[in-house]
Amino acid sequence: MAIAKVEPLTTARALRGPFDYRLPERMEGVGVGTVLRVPFGRRRVLGVVVEIAERSELPPERLAEPLEALEAGVPAELVRLGLWTAREYCSTPSRGLQLVLPPGTGSGGRRVGPRLERRVALTGAGRDALAGGARLGSRQRAVLEALAEANGGGDLPARQLAVASGSDSATLRRLESRGLVELRQERALRRPRVAAVGDAPGAIRFTAEQEDAAATIVGAIGRGEERELLVHGVTGSGKTEVYLRGAEAALARDRGAIVLVPEIALTPQTLARFRERFGDVVALLHSALREGERYDEWERLRSGAARLCVGPRSAVFAPVSELGLIVIDEEHDPSYKQEGDPRYDARHVARRRAAEAGAVLIAGSATPRPESWLELPRLELSRRVDGRELPEVEVLDMRGDDRRGGPLHPATRKALEALRAEGGKGILLLNRRGWAPHLSCRSCGHTWGCPRCDVSLVVHRSTERLTCHHCGHAEPVPDSCPECGSVTLARHGAGTERLESLLSGLLDPLPVFRLDSDSAGRGGGHPEILARFQDAEAGVLLGTQMVAKGHDFSDVVLSVVLDADAALRFPDFRAEERAFALIAQLAGRSGRGEAGGRVLVQTLAPDAPAIEAAARHDAPGFLAGELERRRALRYPPFAHLVRVELAAGEAADADRVAGGLRSVLEGALPEGSELLGPAPRVRLRGRHRRQLLLKTGDRGATVAAVRDAVEAAARGRALRGAALSVDVDPQ
Ligand code: ADP
Ligand code: ZN
Ligand code: ZN
């Protein structure tokens, strides 16, 4: 008797699966990865088969049978990867499996499936009838003529034929009964539309550096080696061309490939280049596709019709078989980390997947992470393919009393005036939305904070509201102080909204385009704003960090970072790394065209190592210093971090649960681990938060200890009133 071990797709933490089900003979095809509907307690739920066994520890009469098997199953290797991810990130098997399921399969059941379409084909008899002047009604004739003219041999969807010929299904049935057409039900694929982005490349002759990098990669793929490599190359050094060469080598050996990009907004340009090279074997997977499109793209990969997948972090779970290559483009980007449970890091999952598949892994960036710099062999692309030097970066000191210039340094102001006079393009980065980040009363000092979060409310002028950027709380901008009645209120600092207004005045008549999550909602989305900037003769693109990511404009002559130390002020050991990457990335995007480029960095900390190194375009120098600092402080990559966060409506509950968890963990951690906290964190959405931080050399044992503690707490009632989340390798 065959037993299916099934992991039910439920959210409960305390469940210990998998559970055994007896497979009846009619379910013979069921294997690891099949999605089943099963009776579970008094409910019916979906579950995934994680193992097929000969026998169960339970007597057969106590085993239930599955109710049905759903059509699309998950490849066995992805079942293993999903379960591994769950364990690695201290989540549940169900949550891990959700990552690898066919799109639309939820715990509640399936919402999408394949779409069938009725197609009509012309038969030989039909062709003769048309040519030989057989007796045909006018609509019948119109149908046959439309089919004869259809390209690819006289076959059309019935829906399209109805429009072309005015036929209805009675006409079609009559033609079918005379043997003149054939009606078929066929699978119709829903394909995402791809807009062409960027210029079509001309014929390319690789530089010597590209040849060397490609030879290493292609060689490893050719020998079927399992290999991890870092491609370190400035923007415009031809990294993507090297990835394309690698993908070509993989496909030539009948192996598949996955190409990860940091965000959905960046998929079109990468997809367009891979499609142009490889055509239909390229599939696209991301959460913003329509559900039907996603399902069909997933199916195309699963069936092998498509062999290469482009997408953001979730595409690391794409059903590509015989994987030969994974590319992680812009590998430094924090968006590779998932925010919700399981808080997986696609870069870490990719390494595991590549190792399991015997595939080559390439991480690429101009500003690699310290982890990758230390651990991966490097392939260097040290210069731009157009032979241009990197632009000069000027650091502008914003210390000093004279702030009458507002948020712009006099040198920045001058550069913008020159831009206006000469008519060029510029990019300005200010990582703060809204008009002003704080409002206060000039008489009594009262400040406006969010009632549910411990943060200040941000003034937004277009909506005339004070808004919380964490929870969305909004209230009208007040006329007077509720404490003292004074009407002199001060708006401190500047966000993108205020800067837009300032620049519009300064640059008039040049257009100013604002790109942040407010303007994107208002103005038809990022691609539209970026396209308008691209098409403009001259003008300025102003925005939050979105402007520094991946977009390539050849004609930008001026880039400005307005508050370079904003990233440095974050209380986080990655603050230096982030600040460096942000500045270096923006600088790398400047001056790629004829006109050359200039980069200005405004800062209150001109001597900070991250800023100095970014100004020199010196990634190796920065990384060497940063790795020393991390080694001394015992931060990753020299240790692993695990963060446990507790949130509760009442501060006392948060304290009680955090304290309880601490004492459980104290005895359970492997030797040499440190346990810090519980430390209070900023209250958000009315929830009091506490954090425990673990530093350890033994990641596996530490995660296991945390998992046991969390599961025990969930099974008992210790968690009452509190929510708990575990973040392994927090970003
Ligand atoms: P990166 O990914 O490092 O930013 P790309 O591969 O996108 O660099 O290359 C930048 C541009 O230069 C692209 O338009 C690409 O087609 C072109 N390019 C790449 N390599 C060469 C080369 N060896 N000769 C000429 N053009 C090249
Ligand atoms: Zn007041
Ligand atoms: Zn709030």
Side-chain angles (χ1 to χ4, degrees), residues 160-173:
Q160 195 180 330
L161 194 59
V163 177
S165 67
S167 64
D168 54 18
S169 53
T171 318
L172 296 181
R173 274 199 304 276

Side-chain angles (χ1 to χ4, degrees), residues 262-263 265-266 269 333 427-433 496 514-521 525-527 529-530 533 541-553 582 585-586 589:
E263 7 187 323
L266 296 175
Q269 62 188 42
D333 201 290
I427 297 184
L428 274 77
L429 169 74
L430 176 62
N431 221 350
R432 203 182 300 130
R433 358 185 229 113
T496 46
R514 195 177 103 213
L515 183 71
D516 58 31
S517 51
D518 302 319
S519 72
H526 302 171
I529 296 171
L530 290 169
F533 177 62
L541 176 69
L542 151 75
T544 50
Q545 60 189 358
M546 298 172 185
V547 300
K549 280 197 185 181
H551 313 289
D552 294 338
F553 302 107
L582 199 66
Q585 289 287 339
L586 190 72
R589 296 186 195 288

